Amino acid sequence: MAKTFELSAQKREEAGKGAARAVRREGRVPAVIYGGNEEPVMVSLEEKDVVREYHNGNIFTNICEMDVAGEKFKLLGRDLQMHPVSDRPLHADFLRVTNKTKINVDVPVNFINEEKCPGLEDGGILSVVRRDVEVVCRAIAIPEELVVDLTGYTIGDSIDSTKIDLPDGVEFAISDRDFAIANIAAPKEEEPEEEEGLEEAEGE
């Protein structure tokens, strides 16, 4: 089951750029709750709370239990606009979720048992193609990570999507083909040192 975090919000009545700027001047972030066949709800959040959960990696992968003036919402962050210069949050979108809500979400890949990988022991390099993989799953059951076991892989081996055991109810967004996750690349050969005096000889 997906992890959860909590946020408290205030309802806001006015929409538009001017109203949003006024909210930001108060140190808050304008946001909207949508989905679930219900009317959107405009809210504002403490900027420091949004920044904390964003840097903790919670906004897009963990369920947000939001309290809006005593009313409880179960949500998932779907968009967070950031200022291109100051990197401060400008606006957030949250989707209502239920036990049946299915979403597409990026999940990080974790590589384990590097010490049991002959290819790495022989000097090979783990070349990661995808550090995150998009999956389709229920919003309340987002996996924290996808695990790749490196045990037994040798230099030249490719690790594709079939090597990942997905939790029940989780599918890859790319379903029509296998795709590469990583490979064990051969060690880079050292470039031969230039012969001493080569430049002088070329100059002559």
Side-chain angles (χ1 to χ4, degrees):
M1 186 171 180
K3 288 184 176 180
T4 64
F5 66 99
E6 297 180 355
L7 288 175
S8 295
Q10 297 177 359
K11 279 191 176 181
R12 56 189 180 97
E13 304 299 330
E14 297 183 7
K17 294 183 178 179
R21 283 195 293 267
V23 169
R24 295 188 196 103
R25 283 196 294 269
E26 296 174 355
R28 302 184 66 82
V29 179
V32 63
I33 299 169
Y34 69 96
N37 297 318
E38 298 182 36
E39 289 294 319
V41 177
M42 295 187 300
V43 299
S44 69
L45 304 158
E46 284 282 356
E47 181 178 334
K48 60 180 177 61
D49 293 341
V50 175
V51 170
R52 180 189 66 242
E53 300 303 339
Y54 174 69
H55 287 297
N56 285 343
N58 292 331
I59 293 289
F60 303 116
T61 57
N62 293 343
I63 298 297
C64 174
E65 296 180 344
M66 188 179 294
D67 184 316
V68 183
E71 187 177 1
K72 305 291 185 179
F73 292 87
K74 186 175 290 187
L75 312 168
L76 185 69
R78 300 307 281 160
D79 187 44
L80 181 61
Q81 299 173 25
M82 307 293 286
H83 191 282
V85 178
S86 67
D87 207 32
R88 294 178 61 184
L90 297 176
H91 189 276
D93 291 348
F94 289 89
L95 173 70
R96 294 184 182 93
V97 298
T98 67
N99 291 343
K100 297 181 179 180
T101 304
K102 278 199 167 186
I103 60 165
N104 287 45
V105 62
D106 289 334
V107 178
V109 178
N110 182 28
F111 297 89
I112 63 171
N113 291 329
E114 293 187 12
E115 71 282 359
K116 298 179 181 179
C117 178
L120 298 182
E121 289 290 320
D122 293 339
I125 300 170
L126 176 62
S127 177
V128 179
V129 178
R130 298 172 185 264
R131 295 192 178 277
D132 300 278
V133 176
E134 185 180 9
V135 301
V136 182
C137 63
R138 290 189 302 153
I140 62 167
I142 301 172
E144 292 183 42
E145 61 183 15
L146 301 178
V147 177
V148 174
D149 189 342
L150 296 175
T151 301
Y153 286 104
T154 60
I155 292 176
D157 283 347
S158 179
I159 306 166
D160 61 29
S161 54
T162 61
K163 303 301 191 300
I164 294 181
D165 292 327
L166 294 176
D168 290 340
V170 178
E171 302 173 350
F172 290 119
I174 299 175
S175 58
D176 59 344
R177 58 182 171 84
D178 296 338
F179 53 89
I181 302 295
N183 59 75
I184 309 298
K188 294 181 179 179
E189 295 184 4
E190 294 184 5
E191 296 182 1
E193 296 183 4
E194 294 185 0
E195 295 182 10
E196 188 176 347
L198 179 60
E199 295 182 359
E200 290 81 358
E202 289 179 349
E204 294 176 0

